[in-house]
Amino acid sequence: MNEKAELYKRLRILISEKRKRIAQGSLKAFISLYLTGITPTRSPAFHGEIVGLIEKMTGGGAPQWGGLRASETLPHFPESKRKPLDKKLNRLLFIAPRGFAKSTLCSVALPLWLALFSKKKDIFVVSSTISLAKDMVRKIRNEVESNPLVLQDFGDLRSEKWTEDHLVFRNGSVIRAKGRGFQIRGFRPDMIICDDLEDEEVIYSKEQRDK
């Protein structure tokens, strides 16, 4: 190998390591560095709020969003109604219209970030049906298998257990797809992400709503 090729190889390694260090501490950075192919080129302000709150809950960074630290307050409330978030969050609920990339942020980018950096070991992606949950896990799987930067920086993370509803990463992290009402006994998830749990059956049935 000639000198230029060796230098280029070392430079790629350095860039890769720096990119991983930046992304490890911030979901926002991870998305902007690795997931430009599946995220909007321009994001509304509330995406910043979502990411900031997620980072507070998971122990990630707390970047500035329009001059406001999203992890310390809820900027969409009037000034008189704002409350500091000075305690550790363990649950979050996000509500937004369809087509606003909630699922991309919370059900694809988030579990992928948590798994790649081993922030969580057993992650459940739950939806109203198993097929919808599998669709989210399929998108995660596609990024692991075909995203050039993910492959360059993390290598092939697939293990022998690599199916449409169950991804076991070589670093030990696990992502599972589950439908509403699944049997949780015997599992020990440390992160559960619920996406569109309600459907017409639940909405229009008083018995299901009461449950």
Side-chain angles (χ1 to χ4, degrees), residues 112-125:
L112 179 58
W113 179 59
L114 296 174
L116 288 178
F117 292 104
S118 300
K119 291 175 176 289
K120 299 294 181 181
K121 285 298 184 183
D122 201 349
I123 304 162
F124 282 18
V125 177

Side-chain angles (χ1 to χ4, degrees), residues 165-182:
D165 64 347
H166 191 182
L167 307 180
V168 179
F169 290 67
R170 294 173 69 90
N171 63 9
S173 294
V174 178
I175 298 178
R176 309 174 196 264
K178 296 292 182 181
R180 186 184 67 227
F182 71 95

Side-chain angles (χ1 to χ4, degrees), residues 4-5 14 35 55-56 60 63 73 79 91-92 99 120 134-135 148 161-162 182 191 197 201 204-206:
K4 286 185 178 180
L14 290 173
L35 301 181
E55 289 183 343
K56 180 175 179 65
T73 188
E79 186 70 36
R91 295 183 184 179
L92 292 171
K120 299 294 181 181
K134 284 180 180 180
D135 185 53
K161 186 65 175 180
W162 196 257
F182 71 95
M191 174 64 72
L197 283 182
E201 177 187 355
Y204 296 115
S205 167
K206 184 179 184 306

Side-chain angles (χ1 to χ4, degrees), residues 123 125 130-131 133-145 156-170 173-178 187:
I123 304 162
V125 177
I130 184 63
S131 62
K134 284 180 180 180
D135 185 53
M136 296 300 157
V137 171
R138 191 178 302 115
K139 293 176 181 178
I140 296 169
R141 177 177 172 174
N142 288 342
E143 293 301 313
V144 175
E145 293 177 349
D156 185 359
L157 288 172
R158 296 173 297 175
S159 72
E160 293 182 1
K161 186 65 175 180
W162 196 257
T163 66
E164 61 180 0
D165 64 347
H166 191 182
L167 307 180
V168 179
F169 290 67
R170 294 173 69 90
S173 294
V174 178
I175 298 178
R176 309 174 196 264
K178 296 292 182 181
F187 294 103

